[in-house]
């Protein structure tokens, strides 16, 4: 049985995320996601794409409804933040060592493949909201 990866292009069509001039984070996220889908399928994963019109709460519900019957899967929300710094980071569920290990491994491979700075895996409690709904 193929492992399932749910891919969410962070934000939605109605929520642009970070904006600079005509550059909108949500559009970049969609482009990155669309590039990842065939690559992940090529490596044998089943990929489920979260519909772009869903807001944060709706996207979480959409994934949770589909993930209940899975024994193995991963849900990723892609973002291209504008908070300063360069490189990539990955947030994980703070109360799970397994979540931390997965985040570190995923981030390491991602940064190595793209030749970008690894800013580290961080617990979702380290965010300004002290928890991330997508992770929880």
């Amino acid at each position: 049985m193929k492992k399932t990866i749910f891919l969410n292009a962070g934000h939605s069509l109605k929520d642009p995320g970070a904006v600079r001039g005509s550059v909108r984070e949500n559009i970049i996220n969609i482009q990155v996601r669309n590039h990842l889908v065939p690559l992940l399928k090529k490596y044998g994963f089943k990929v489920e794409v979260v519909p772009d019109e869903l807001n944060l709460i709706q996207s979480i519900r959409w994934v949770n409804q589909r993930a209940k019957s899975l024994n193995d899967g991963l849900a990723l929300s892609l973002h291209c933040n504008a908070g300063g710094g360069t490189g990539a980071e990955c947030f994980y569920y703070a109360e799970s060592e397994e979540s931390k290990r997965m985040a570190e491994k995923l981030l390491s491979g991602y940064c190595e493949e793209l030749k970008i700075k690894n800013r580290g895996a961080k617990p979702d409690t380290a965010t300004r909201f002290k928890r991330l709904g997508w992770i929880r």
Side-chain angles (χ1 to χ4, degrees), residues 11-124:
H11 299 285
S12 68
L13 291 175
K14 293 181 182 177
D15 174 9
V19 177
R20 183 168 186 188
S22 63
V23 179
R24 297 168 37 146
E25 179 188 0
N26 62 341
I27 301 304
I28 295 171
N29 296 342
I30 290 169
Q31 292 169 342
V32 170
R33 190 249 354 254
N34 289 347
H35 183 74
L36 283 174
V37 170
L39 293 173
L40 291 169
K41 287 181 177 180
K42 176 183 169 186
Y43 287 101
F45 294 97
K46 177 182 178 189
V47 180
E48 299 253 358
V49 173
V50 177
D52 296 322
E53 64 273 3
L54 301 182
N55 66 30
L56 175 63
I57 292 170
Q58 293 167 330
S59 66
I60 292 168
R61 286 183 184 142
W62 189 92
V63 170
N64 285 340
Q65 288 172 346
R66 286 155 182 79
K68 284 180 183 174
S69 63
L70 294 177
N71 289 329
D72 200 359
L74 182 64
L76 300 173
S77 184
L78 306 170
H79 291 267
C80 297
N81 295 330
T86 58
E89 57 195 10
C90 185
F91 289 93
Y92 62 89
Y93 180 49
E95 298 171 23
S96 169
E97 282 299 315
E98 178 64 19
S99 180
K100 181 179 180 181
R101 281 192 298 278
M102 287 175 58
E104 289 171 342
K105 188 172 184 175
L106 177 70
L107 182 61
S108 176
Y110 178 79
C111 291
E112 186 177 312
E113 184 68 28
L114 295 180
K115 310 285 188 258
I116 60 176
K117 180 181 176 183
N118 184 332
R119 294 178 50 162
K122 299 174 171 108
D124 70 327

